[in-house]
Every structure is written in C-alpha cells, then in structure tokens.
C-alpha cells in the first residue's frame, strides 16, 4: 500500500491510519457501537441489561465483545461483591472520549437520512 493511501492530511499534518486499524475493526463489529452507546447513556450496566438493550446477542458473542472492548481500554469490568456476585460494565475515560467523538458522526448520519 502506498504512503498516501494510509495517511490523512489534516491541518498541515499527516496522520497514519495503520495504528488505528485494530480499534476501527473493533468499532465495525456487531454490537460494539451499541454497547458503547448504552454504557455512555446508563453509566454502568450488568451483562443481562446490556444483552436486553442491544438486541439479545448470543451470550458467548456478547462476552467476547465485552472482553474485546475491555482489552482495548474502552470498557471497564467491575465485580460487585454482593449476593449473588454481579459484574458491572462501564466506559473508561477513553471509551467516553470515543463516544463523544462518535456523537457528531451519528448526528450527521441521522441528518442525511431525512
């Protein structure tokens, strides 16, 4: 791939897209954006609440997606020591920043659908 194909010129600077590729691929996976949106709206949610609100994906798929988001530093997993023990998920600072960056994109997408 040529150098110009992996770069975006912005404000007189070149930004290489290659380091961003793993996050971009993760954002394109099923349920990722919905999870980020939900956790941004609710602050925190348990596994079942996430499942209900994003369309009831297969549990193993949702588990895998949450793990990927956690590994990417976008979602935090918190074990609540209660009876029964529960797990809550929330956005990290980086996840919140990503959500805030995506909002204008989704506003634009909504505006062109009318």
């Amino acid at each position: 791939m040529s150098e110009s194909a992996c770069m975006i010129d912005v404000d007189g600077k070149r930004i290489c897209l290659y380091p961003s590729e793993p996050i971009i691929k993760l954002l394109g996976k099923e349920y990722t954006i919905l999870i980020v949106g939900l956790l941004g709206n609710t602050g925190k949610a348990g596994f079942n609440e996430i499942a209900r609100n994003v369309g009831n994906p297969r549990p193993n798929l949702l588990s895998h997606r949450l793990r990927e988001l956690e590994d990417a530093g976008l979602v935090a997993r918190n074990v609540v020591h209660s009876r029964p023990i529960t797990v809550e998920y929330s956005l990290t600072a980086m996840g919140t920043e990503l959500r805030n960056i995506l909002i204008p994109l989704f506003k634009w997408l909504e505006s062109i659908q009318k």
Side-chain angles (χ1 to χ4, degrees), residues 8-76:
I8 294 179
D9 294 328
V10 177
D11 299 327
K13 297 178 184 176
R14 290 197 129 186
I15 301 170
C16 184
L17 300 177
Y18 286 135
S20 306
E21 192 172 1
I23 292 287
I24 296 209
K25 284 182 177 180
L26 176 58
L27 291 176
K29 290 183 176 182
E30 193 172 19
Y31 302 109
T32 297
I33 298 289
L34 295 173
I35 293 166
V36 170
L38 173 69
L39 293 177
N41 292 341
T42 61
K44 61 185 174 183
F47 186 89
N48 292 332
E49 182 181 355
I50 295 170
R52 276 192 310 275
N53 283 284
V54 302
N56 291 310
R58 294 182 325 274
N60 60 335
L61 173 59
L62 181 56
S63 263
H64 183 71
R65 196 67 71 238
L66 287 165
R67 197 171 315 112
E68 287 178 310
L69 287 163
E70 186 180 2
D71 290 346
L74 300 172
V75 167

Side-chain angles (χ1 to χ4, degrees), residues 95-111:
T96 299
E97 185 177 3
L98 170 65
R99 180 180 179 273
N100 291 339
I101 290 166
L102 290 172
I103 289 170
L105 171 65
F106 287 108
K107 284 182 178 180
W108 175 77
L109 290 168
E110 186 177 67
S111 76

